Structures are given as C-alpha cells and as structure tokens.
Amino acid sequence: MSPRTPGADLPEHPDALWRNPEPKRSYDVVIVGGGGHGLATAHYLAKNHGITDVAVLEKGWLAGGNMARNTTIIRSNYLWDESSAIYEHALKLWEGLEEDLGYPILFSQRGVLNLAHTLQDVRDSVRRVEANKLNGVDAEWLEPDEVRKVCPIVNTSTEIRYPVLGATYQPRAGIAKHDYVAWGFARRADQAGIDLVQDCEVTGFTTDGDRVTGVQTTRGTIGAGTVALCAAGHTSVLTDMLGIRVPIQSHPLQALVSELLEPVHPTVVMSNAVHVYVSQAHKGELVMGAGVDSYNGYGQRGAFHVIERQMAAAVELFPVFARAHLLRTWAGIVDTSPDASPIVGRTAYDNLYLNCGWGTGGFKATPGIGWALAHTIAHGEPHPTVAPFGLDRFVTGALVDEHGAAAVAH
Amino acid sequence: MQLIPCPWCGPREEAEFSYGGQAHVPYPDSPAELSDEEWAHYVFFRANPKGRFAERWNHGAGCRRWFNAIRDTATYRFERVYRLDDPKPGVTELARSREEGTAP
C-alpha cells in the first residue's frame, strides 16, 4: 500500500505563462477583452510604443471566447484596397510572429482555395484575383484540374449539383494554433509588465464630460487614461452602457471538428456557394465552419439544422469525409457589421477606442489589428490601415463592402 | 430543433422561419428633412441587446406571414409572439402573460 494519495505523485504543474495579478487602482490604458485582439494590442503597446502601464480585463478566462472557437484560417485575399491593406499587414506579421513572440504558434502556410460553383462566382473570383495582384497579395485563378492537383480530395466531378468551376488560390494563406497564438501574446505582454486580469467583467463606466475616466468591474472600479474595447460579440453590451450606438449585430457562428484522421487534407478549402470551410488541424481533426445562425444571439450555441446543411456541403465536396465521426460542435458570438468590414477607431468619447465588427473573420487579423490599434491608442489618431474603418463611414457612405470575400455567409 | 410559435400556425420547427431583425423601426416621417447622420441611423444602426429583444419573423415555409416576437437573445427563448400591427408589449404585460402561462 502506498502511503500517498493516488495521483499525488503527478508531475509538478508547469510554469505559468503569465502572472494572475490583482488589478491596480488605475492604468494608463485599459483594454476590455482578453481575447486575441486585446492581447495582441497589449503586446504591441509594449513592444512598439513602450506603453506598459496597461491592463487587459477579461470577464472569463484569457482567450476563451471567439479566440477559442474560430477555425483559425489566415488569409488576405480580400477584394478592396482597404481590406487588403489591413489583412496583408496582418499576414506579413503572422509570417514573423513565432520569432517575435519566441513561442511556437504552428503557423502553417498551406494555402487556401476559395471555390467557385457558378458563372457569377467565377467572374467575381477572377476579379478578386486581379484586385489581389494589384495590391501585392499572392493570388491565382485555378481551373478544376489545377484545384485537384492542390487538393486531390475535392470532388471536381461535373456530376454534382454545384460543380467546382475553379478556385482562387492564395499560397501564403494557412492556419495557426489559436491557443498558442493567444498564449504567446499573453506571455510577452505579461513579461513587459502588463496586467492580464481574468474573471473581471466590466459592469459600467465612469465618465466626465467627453472622457471615460474608469471602468467599473466585478473586481472594483479601475481608473483609466484611455480605454479600448476589444469585446467582439459583446461590444454592444459595453457601448450600450456608454450610450454609444454601434451598427453591429451579434450572431452565433458554429464550427465543429471530426475525430482524428490521418493527414488527408493538405490545404484549406472554402466554399461560399454551398457553404462550408475546412482544414485539417495538426493533430488530425477536420475543422469545419458553418454560416451564422440567422437570429441575433449571445448564447454561444446555435441550431442543429445549420450544422446539417454545413455537413451536406462538406460531404458533397469531400466524399471521403462521409464516414468521419463528429467529435464536437460549438459556437462563438460574432459581431457582424453592415458591410462585413471591421469598425475601428475613435468614438464620441475622446479617450475611448472601438475595435469591433470583425464578424466572422477576426482571427486572421489578430497581429495586424493589435499593431494598428496600439498605434491608434499611442498616437490618438488611426493607424493608416484602420483609418478607412471608422464609425463615420456609415454616415459618409464610404462603406467597404466585403460580403463577397468575407466568405462566411451572414 | 427549436420550435417557434407562429401566431397563426402554432409551434413549428425553426427551419420554417426566417429572421427579420429588430421590430418597431418606423420609416422616417419626413425623409426629405433627414440629415446624413439620421439616415445612417435609420439604415444601418439597430439595437443589439443581450436579453429581451422585439424582433420580426417570417413563417416562410408555412403561412408566409410576418409577425413580431419578444425573444431573449441570451437564452433564445420566445416570450411572446404578436401581430405586426400590435404595439410592443410592455414589461408588465410580459410578466403577466408569463404568470398566466399564456407565454409560448
């Protein structure tokens, strides 16, 4: 008989990647939301601008919202110049991120195929390829036989209901391990002296005229020189407290994984028309995403018929998946905007910055928006890559309509 | 699948319905006098509450009629469905219909 409790001789808990500090009474910068965008913003505030009196407030645990729920696709093949600029800026940062963070993020540039299934799809896709080339983004148009060479398991038969008529291909696109990305940013921010405060929900704001002076939280009131909102699907909950209107609607967006399979899927495939997007994680699961559930929802779950439709599309496009077992499904809450583009920048409050509206595509932007939002906070003026995405565009009419290239139906 | 109580057809599967967003957003009384900002708010800005929300639904695969609903966006529970031309139910009215068990 062992004198010790069974299990008591387990290995030591590994070193924590960040402290778990009590919040101070005030900070120069308070970031609301400890997901990818909030953590990246904290990292670049410290690294690029030497601003380290910063707190990142997270109501749950770090990176437990959409950062833990997305399908990790990274690409920059958007149609308009404004979008290309921010997403390509992000992609270039992704390419050096492992070195910058000193942490493995399993960034794998395996390319992305965006399939075209109708003649209009083909025209739109070819146009987007040409637009990408003009913006210095790598892009090619592939005919069906070339699609088959890049991804042999795609069903390119002409006999299916919506045959594959071709695809756009961005070779530099890919996937990364979302948790590692968050942990890498968090670790670096923490090392710089930034406080990452978990279990700290913002319940209100204190204001003085056109300035926000602090945030009220479940862990007390915290003074703030500047406040940045990085709360994705919950942004409206915060802006409602401040009386600011933001044109976003929060929807559940579902994704799922299969059991672990041998490597069968060498790239990332997205299809707008029949609607599914699929990659295979390093561990072996097929990771698939759906379109948003139609109604507004904060429940982090969605309806089963949405998943059924997504599976129907997946099995039609990839007959080899037909016998794979579903392991897990979940939903995140995405903040969709009227033009499927983000809303970033200044607000009616002088020292309050907004970062929302990334909708279904925020993960890929993580380092780019962190960089740009940190710059915006440090200089009090929008970084050039986010300047076109201000709240005022809904008044001026200068929308950046990316419903085509956003690639997730909403 | 969630059942949605159509006021005309009774409870039907969610897939029969389509969503129409926020209810009770009237067309501006004097559109010619609206500023750009007022237009922006009419066209693009809608409430996005976490909790009770008055919204429009269409029973597209059934009676094909529109109706309004009070639904909780955190629990997805329908509290009340009512005709498009009915006024928005007040809080006390919703509480009463819950007590009387007339809420769907």
Side-chain angles (χ1 to χ4, degrees):
Chain A
M1 287 284 288
S2 161
R4 305 184 63 184
T5 316
D9 52 353
L10 285 173
E12 288 292 302
H13 192 281
D15 290 341
L17 290 174
W18 51 85
R19 299 162 294 131
N20 208 10
E22 283 297 312
K24 293 193 292 183
R25 292 174 63 99
S26 75
Y27 294 89
D28 287 348
V29 179
V30 169
I31 297 168
V32 183
H37 287 199
L39 294 170
T41 303
H43 167 66
Y44 290 114
L45 274 173
K47 182 181 179 229
N48 294 354
H49 307 284
I51 298 172
T52 56
D53 188 24
V54 178
V56 180
L57 309 183
E58 169 53 50
K59 75 183 163 104
W61 57 91
L62 286 189
N66 292 351
M67 193 61 175
R69 295 158 194 273
N70 66 84
T71 52
T72 78
I73 298 169
I74 295 162
R75 61 192 174 86
S76 63
N77 55 354
Y78 281 69
L79 176 63
W80 300 107
D81 298 354
E82 296 86 347
S83 324
S84 285
I86 178 78
Y87 290 111
E88 180 60 19
H89 176 55
L91 182 49
K92 290 206 168 78
L93 289 172
W94 280 111
E95 288 172 330
L97 196 57
E98 219 163 76
E99 204 173 320
D100 178 16
L101 298 178
Y103 197 78
I105 57 166
L106 302 187
F107 179 48
S108 160
Q109 291 181 289
R110 55 183 65 184
V112 63
L113 291 166
N114 290 78
L115 304 181
H117 298 275
T118 66
L119 285 176
Q120 190 57 46
D121 262 0
V122 172
R123 294 184 197 108
D124 290 345
S125 301
V126 171
R127 177 189 177 198
R128 186 159 48 76
V129 164
E130 299 302 337
N132 288 161
K133 285 180 181 166
L134 289 171
N135 278 317
V137 174
D138 58 321
E140 299 164 39
W141 168 253
L142 303 186
E143 298 294 334
D145 60 317
E146 297 167 304
V147 171
R148 204 159 42 234
K149 276 181 208 144
V150 173
C151 187
I153 58 171
V154 174
N155 184 358
T156 49
S157 153
T158 53
E159 300 303 309
I160 61 176
R161 176 66 183 84
Y162 295 103
V164 175
L165 301 182
T168 70
Y169 184 48
Q170 184 181 20
R172 284 165 61 242
I175 57 172
K177 179 79 183 156
H178 51 97
D179 287 334
Y180 292 2
V181 174
W183 299 344
F185 276 120
R187 175 172 162 270
R188 268 281 183 264
D190 180 80
Q191 283 171 348
I194 289 171
D195 283 355
L196 311 177
V197 186
Q198 304 178 77
D199 198 18
C200 181
E201 181 171 0
V202 171
T203 54
F205 294 87
T206 56
T207 59
D208 180 12
D210 62 354
R211 292 185 69 79
V212 176
T213 52
V215 293
Q216 295 156 338
T217 77
T218 49
R219 298 179 70 171
T221 298
I222 300 168
T226 298
V227 176
L229 304 183
C230 294
H234 273 79
T235 300
S236 302
V237 175
L238 297 169
T239 51
D240 282 352
M241 295 172 190
L242 286 157
I244 297 173
R245 293 188 78 191
V246 181
I248 59 174
Q249 299 279 288
S250 298
H251 290 268
L253 175 59
Q254 302 187 74
L256 56 86
V257 290
S258 74
E259 62 194 324
L260 308 189
L261 301 173
E262 292 294 318
V264 289
H265 185 11
T267 178
V268 180
V269 173
M270 313 183 68
S271 166
N272 260 3
V274 299
H275 214 288
V276 70
Y277 38 104
V278 192
S279 67
Q280 187 168 18
H282 293 84
K283 226 171 13 171
E285 313 100 310
L286 297 168
V287 183
M288 305 191 210
V292 300
D293 278 59
S294 67
Y295 47 71
N296 289 26
Y298 286 86
Q300 290 188 322
R301 61 195 166 84
F304 189 70
H305 69 268
V306 175
I307 292 212
E308 275 185 310
R309 282 177 200 164
Q310 168 200 3
M311 286 300 91
V315 172
E316 175 98 326
L317 283 176
F318 302 92
V320 67
F321 292 173
R323 293 184 180 208
H325 290 110
L326 180 69
L327 194 64
R328 218 168 48 243
T329 82
W330 65 89
I333 306 168
V334 298
D335 41 338
T336 60
S337 69
D339 56 357
S341 283
I343 301 169
V344 183
R346 310 196 59 136
T347 65
Y349 289 95
D350 209 30
N351 59 339
L352 177 78
Y353 295 92
L354 199 57
N355 170 40
C356 64
W358 293 90
T360 60
F363 175 76
K364 69 175 76 69
T366 300
I369 184 57
W371 181 291
L373 188 59
H375 176 104
T376 303
I377 292 167
H379 296 275
E381 285 301 325
H383 184 266
T385 56
V386 293
F389 297 110
L391 194 51
D392 57 349
R393 75 177 185 272
F394 298 99
V395 175
T396 62
L399 303 185
V400 185
D401 180 4
E402 287 291 358
H403 276 285
V408 177
H410 60 278
Chain B
M1 186 179 293
Q2 182 171 19
L3 297 178
I4 295 177
C6 172
W8 289 281
C9 309
R12 295 293 184 91
E13 291 192 341
E14 178 190 336
E16 295 186 10
F17 296 82
S18 56
Y19 186 60
Q22 185 179 1
H24 308 291
V25 182
Y27 190 74
D29 284 335
S30 24
E33 288 160 27
L34 254 50
S35 68
D36 287 352
E37 187 153 7
E38 288 165 329
W39 267 122
H41 279 264
Y42 173 68
V43 175
F44 295 120
F45 289 64
R46 292 292 178 269
N48 185 32
K50 181 177 187 174
R52 196 174 280 159
F53 191 31
E55 54 194 19
R56 301 180 303 173
W57 285 84
N58 179 258
H59 191 192
C63 61
R64 301 179 61 193
R65 288 205 267 186
W66 285 90
F67 61 94
N68 285 344
I70 304 287
R71 189 182 60 102
D72 189 311
T73 60
T75 63
Y76 305 164
R77 183 175 176 276
F78 282 77
E79 298 201 0
R80 176 80 181 265
V81 293
Y82 56 102
R83 292 170 56 107
L84 284 183
D85 51 0
D86 284 345
K88 188 173 168 181
V91 175
T92 48
E93 204 180 331
L94 284 170
R96 196 180 311 126
S97 63
R98 258 203 311 281
E99 276 167 22
E100 293 167 358
T102 52

